[in-house]
Amino acid sequence: MSQSYRYILGSQTYQFKSLAELMAKATPQRSGDRLAGVIAQSARERAVAQMTLADVPLKTFLNEALIPYETDEVTRLIFDEHDTQAFAYISHLTVGDFRNWLLSDYATPQVLAAVKMGITPEMAAAVSKIMRNQDLILVAKKCHVTTAFRNTIGLPGHLSTRLQPNHPTDDVNGIAASILDGLLYGNGDAVIGINPATDNVAQAIKLMTLMDDVIQKYQIPTQSCVLTHVTNTIECIEAGAPVDLVFQSIGGTEATNSSFGFNLNTLAEAQDAALSLNRGSVGNNVMYFETGQGSSLSANAHHGLDQQTCEARAYAVARKFNPLLVNTVVGFIGPEYLFDGKEITRAGLEDHFCAKLLGVPMGCDVCYTNHAEADQNDMDNLLTLLGVAGCSFVMGIPGSDDIMLNYQTTSFHDALYVRRVLGSRPAPEFEQWLTKMNIMKNSTDCVLSSTLPSAFSKPLYALQGGC
């Protein structure tokens, strides 16, 4: 049952006709919400909406569905899997009280882990809307989410990277060269993941085989993934391909996911298929999801919600399937949704906070498109802030420039920078391998060896014909 929300400020009364409208009006300014027509009309109205939202009891989110239960399977997932016992610890709080509690010393990593299944995505989104950037960083830092496949991702004090060797024609030599380049910078412990230029089952199997050959030849404690559609990956598994992780872009509404060509049953089928291969050595988290603010709006599947709330709902989908990795491709959709560096930075911190609070192993593709009002300095700032916040992983791409997807992100040396400046380390199994292979001379300080490791110099020398 929807109810209205009212706030009296002086002689003026502000009326919000539903929780969905209140959430949207309380959201920090961004271009996507302006495009959707749900944004606050002034900074004054936004501040009033935030004050009103702060007084809303958390229990309200269990009584007022933002998208009807009967028509949306993501809503049903959120309500059906809500843990009332975990929620009991915080059930007496308002959104504002919840913020204060999260920032307090009572909300330890252990306590946050105990209550995560009692927190709905809408609760996480609501509290994020009344938090400063530093609040988002501080609380996310306390949320420890650890996953494993061939190595262990998300341990405190560690930062992993996805080695992303994309190529505009899927040329195997170009991809192999990018993989080698990334490994020599200590990248690739989260995953070696390729976005195929030609997206079909045969091409996916070709790229999976290439990466598996490299991983097996050099005994690299990492995992591979071709970022093809989930149904393609199921076919690859049925064909006997060496599939480590199953990928899918996900959204926060059933209609969004339908536009992507899948539903929750599809993901369950894919997870079961990947688990049946039993390819992990230290864990069995086999799913990899990507998200991004604006995806539901761009699919006209947002149901009038603000884009950040839709984004948080996607984390319920992710959480259901115990993924190894999830990342928000924060600035990829474009300035129509996140206009400039400030909006991209805020969205990245919100996404990371909400996901970690819900127990999702969150990383971030710190990125922007060339027509956004942003530059690499903005990305340096967000990368550093996310490193402080305990981000699970970031991207590593040659020269920061993805020549296949045509967007700007973080490079191999950017990951090396943040590891050095913050004292973060690679996944422990991967770190041992970097030392063993003489890629890193001092892995504690992320100091690279001054010479090319012999395991890689010999095949390179052979390719040059011994010259």
Side-chain angles (χ1 to χ4, degrees):
M1 178 71 68
S2 179
Q3 65 178 33
S4 62
Y5 298 84
R6 189 174 64 166
Y7 194 95
I8 299 173
L9 184 64
S11 60
Q12 187 171 358
T13 299
Y14 289 83
Q15 193 82 24
F16 306 96
K17 64 184 180 182
S18 66
L19 184 57
E21 181 183 8
L22 177 62
M23 294 269 283
K25 295 288 181 71
T27 305
Q29 180 173 274
R30 63 206 59 196
S31 55
D33 291 338
R34 183 179 297 107
L35 179 65
V38 300
I39 196 171
Q41 297 305 302
S42 66
R44 182 185 179 94
E45 184 184 24
R46 181 175 301 109
V48 168
Q50 290 171 340
M51 290 187 290
T52 307
L53 182 60
D55 288 335
V56 173
L58 292 181
K59 290 180 180 178
T60 303
F61 294 93
L62 303 177
N63 298 321
E64 186 172 346
L66 301 187
I67 302 174
Y69 180 94
E70 297 77 16
T71 60
D72 187 88
E73 70 172 357
V74 177
T75 298
R76 292 193 292 274
L77 173 68
I78 292 168
F79 277 79
D80 292 349
E81 303 216 344
H82 181 252
D83 188 331
T84 56
Q85 186 173 352
F87 179 63
Y89 196 87
I90 57 173
S91 62
H92 61 290
L93 301 176
T94 65
V95 173
D97 294 332
F98 188 36
R99 170 191 176 272
N100 295 338
W101 178 79
L102 287 170
L103 292 169
S104 76
D105 292 336
Y106 296 107
T108 64
Q110 295 76 21
V111 171
L112 289 170
V115 303
K116 65 184 180 184
M117 296 305 295
I119 303 170
T120 69
E122 290 86 353
M123 294 175 193
V127 75
S128 76
K129 296 174 191 299
I130 63 169
M131 298 176 84
R132 296 169 57 187
N133 286 2
Q134 67 171 238
D135 298 341
L136 300 173
I137 293 168
L138 176 60
V139 177
K141 183 77 170 182
K142 296 193 288 184
C143 297
H144 302 161
V145 184
T146 304
T147 57
F149 189 75
R150 291 201 188 98
N151 57 29
T152 308
I153 309 295
L155 292 168
H158 293 258
L159 175 70
S160 296
T161 62
R162 170 186 161 193
L163 201 170
Q164 187 170 315
N166 293 345
H167 192 280
T169 64
D170 288 339
D171 179 78
V172 293
N173 290 323
I175 290 171
S178 292
I179 292 174
L180 174 60
D181 190 20
L183 291 172
L184 291 175
Y185 274 102
N187 279 238
D189 49 339
V191 64
I192 302 174
I194 300 173
N195 298 88
T198 303
D199 193 5
N200 57 52
V201 172
Q203 187 68 3
I205 292 175
K206 177 181 177 181
L207 296 175
M208 289 170 183
T209 303
L210 167 64
M211 290 185 288
D212 188 60
D213 287 346
V214 172
I215 289 172
Q216 298 302 324
K217 177 178 176 59
Y218 295 104
Q219 294 296 294
I220 309 171
T222 191
Q223 37 282 328
S224 68
C225 185
V226 173
L227 281 71
T228 187
H229 193 269
V230 61
T231 55
N232 285 346
T233 305
I234 292 172
E235 290 189 45
C236 291
I237 293 173
E238 292 171 345
V243 173
D244 288 342
L245 304 183
V246 175
F247 170 80
Q248 184 56 47
S249 295
I250 60 174
T253 71
E254 180 178 344
T256 307
N257 294 331
S258 294
S259 75
F260 291 161
F262 76 94
N263 57 29
L264 298 182
N265 288 334
T266 315
L267 296 181
E269 178 186 355
Q271 183 185 36
D272 288 343
L275 286 171
S276 72
L277 301 179
N278 196 30
R279 289 175 60 85
S281 56
V282 297
N284 61 357
N285 299 111
V286 296
M287 306 298 282
Y288 174 21
F289 299 124
E290 285 190 345
T291 69
Q293 288 193 29
S295 60
S296 292
L297 177 58
S298 67
N300 194 29
H302 62 297
H303 295 270
L305 303 185
D306 66 272
Q307 64 184 33
Q308 191 257 335
T309 298
C310 285
E311 170 72 7
R313 285 169 54 93
Y315 307 151
V317 177
R319 183 166 67 175
K320 169 68 176 175
F321 297 99
N322 301 311
L324 179 74
L325 308 166
V326 179
N327 72 268
T328 169
V329 194
V330 64
F332 181 73
I333 303 181
E336 300 85 359
Y337 303 94
L338 296 170
F339 181 71
D340 57 16
K342 183 176 182 179
E343 291 187 6
I344 292 171
T345 298
R346 175 69 190 189
L349 295 177
E350 289 170 347
D351 294 352
H352 180 253
F353 160 82
C354 288
K356 285 291 183 64
L357 188 62
L358 294 166
V360 172
M362 195 64 162
C364 185
D365 191 342
V366 180
C367 63
Y368 65 101
T369 58
N370 288 320
H371 61 309
E373 291 294 322
D375 60 26
Q376 207 63 42
N377 285 327
D378 294 312
M379 299 306 103
D380 287 349
N381 293 341
L382 178 54
L383 173 65
T384 305
L385 293 173
L386 286 168
V388 173
C391 189
S392 295
F393 70 104
V394 296
M395 304 299 118
I397 294 176
S400 304
D401 183 11
D402 191 308
I403 58 174
M404 195 280 282
L405 292 174
N406 293 309
Y407 78 115
Q408 307 304 311
T409 181
T410 48
S411 70
F412 300 142
H413 63 273
D414 289 335
L416 190 62
Y417 144 76
V418 78
R419 282 173 172 167
R420 286 177 171 177
V421 77
L422 296 178
S424 302
R425 299 167 72 168
E429 300 87 349
F430 192 78
E431 182 180 23
Q432 293 174 11
W433 179 82
L434 291 172
T435 302
K436 174 186 173 183
M437 297 296 288
N438 196 34
I439 292 173
M440 280 193 175
K441 180 170 62 177
N442 181 345
S443 61
T444 302
D445 298 324
C446 291
V447 177
L448 299 175
S449 297
S450 57
T451 58
L452 189 66
S454 60
F456 297 113
S457 62
K458 291 177 181 178
L460 285 174
Y461 185 74
L463 285 174
Q464 296 172 5
C467 299

